[in-house]
């Protein structure tokens, strides 16, 4: 038996979330986090850079999980954190990520400044300056995107918004028109 294509309503919900503000923010968070940890992990690193790598990978994985759970509209299945607490969970995630990205930015900028001596054309040895500079850019962009997500999530949460407002504009909880929902 051939697999059935996804139903149009489900595809519309996916696209609705992907085109929403929070969907775009989550995608940017995933891209900035991946850029940060791949840039560091692909090169030689030591010492305090382990903390930067820890923060980048941890929040990249958590953001991926939040993204796919929301995309699939399965937040009700998450024990303790899902259901009515989903917006608060997203808000706390973004706040904690933004707060932990700040010391990570400090560490990576310190390491960048510490290696700026080797940014000369005459210097022939391997130098991590450009790697740390690229990682600093990704870390700063990631922190900004997490702050934007936290502010947006906080506004939504404390103004009494719905858990996934962008996918429920004219439909009920599961994308079914409100008058046709079944128990």
């Amino acid at each position: 038996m051939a697999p059935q294509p996804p139903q149009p309503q489900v595809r519309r919900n996916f696209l609705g979330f992907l085109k929403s503000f929070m969907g775009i923010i989550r995608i940017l968070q995933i891209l900035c986090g991946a850029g940060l940890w791949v840039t560091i992990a692909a090169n030689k690193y030591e010492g305090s850079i382990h903390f930067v790598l820890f923060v980048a990978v941890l929040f990249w994985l958590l953001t991926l999980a939040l993204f796919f759970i929301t995309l699939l509209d399965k937040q009700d299945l998450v024990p303790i954190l899902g259901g009515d607490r989903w917006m608060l969970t997203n808000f706390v995630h973004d706040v904690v990520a933004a707060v932990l990205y700040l010391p990570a930015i400090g560490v990576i900028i310190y390491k960048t400044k510490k290696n700026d001596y080797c940014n000369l054309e005459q210097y022939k040895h391997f130098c991590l300056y450009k790697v740390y500079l690229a990682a600093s850019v990704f870390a700063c962009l990631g922190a900004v995107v997490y702050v934007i997500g936290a502010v947006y999530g906080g506004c939504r949460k404390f103004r009494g918004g719905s858990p996934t407002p962008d996918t429920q504009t004219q439909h009920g909880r599961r994308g079914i028109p409100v008058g046709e929902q079944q128990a």
Side-chain angles (χ1 to χ4, degrees):
M1 191 170 171
Q4 297 179 354
Q7 297 187 3
Q9 189 61 44
V10 172
R11 186 175 302 143
R12 209 173 305 137
N13 285 343
F14 281 180
L15 291 175
F17 174 69
L18 291 175
K19 291 179 181 178
S20 71
F21 184 76
M22 204 62 210
I24 292 168
I25 290 293
R26 287 284 180 243
I27 290 170
L28 290 174
Q29 290 169 345
I30 291 167
L31 292 176
C32 289
L36 175 57
W37 75 259
V38 167
T39 301
I40 294 172
N43 293 283
K44 184 179 167 183
Y45 59 93
E46 80 287 337
S48 56
I49 295 297
H50 288 93
F51 174 73
V52 177
L53 194 60
F54 168 74
V55 169
V57 172
L58 174 68
F59 285 104
W60 181 74
L61 290 171
L62 289 175
T63 304
L64 272 175
L66 290 175
F67 175 76
F68 283 113
I69 290 170
T70 306
L71 180 68
L72 299 173
D73 198 25
K74 299 296 182 188
Q75 54 269 30
D76 290 335
L77 301 178
V78 180
I80 301 172
L81 304 174
D84 294 337
R85 297 184 187 122
W86 190 246
M87 277 196 305
L88 181 62
T89 301
N90 280 274
F91 172 69
V92 169
H93 166 266
D94 287 345
V95 167
V96 172
V99 166
L100 284 179
Y101 258 78
L102 294 178
I105 289 170
V107 167
I108 200 76
I109 288 175
Y110 170 76
K111 287 290 202 173
T112 303
K113 286 183 179 180
K114 189 175 174 185
N115 285 295
D116 68 351
Y117 66 89
C118 63
N119 193 29
L120 302 171
E121 290 182 27
Q122 296 84 8
Y123 194 81
K124 302 294 182 201
H125 301 289
F126 180 72
C127 178
L128 290 173
Y129 176 76
K130 291 180 181 175
V131 172
Y132 290 157
L133 184 62
S136 297
V137 170
F138 281 122
C140 290
L141 290 174
V144 166
V145 176
Y146 277 111
V147 167
I148 291 170
V151 169
Y152 179 74
C155 288
R156 264 184 32 205
K157 171 64 182 159
F158 299 115
R159 287 187 181 173
S162 62
T164 53
D166 301 314
T167 59
Q168 297 180 14
T169 53
Q170 296 174 345
H171 299 284
R173 176 81 176 114
R174 299 282 178 209
I176 302 169
V178 177
E180 299 176 21
Q181 284 187 352
Q182 298 172 354

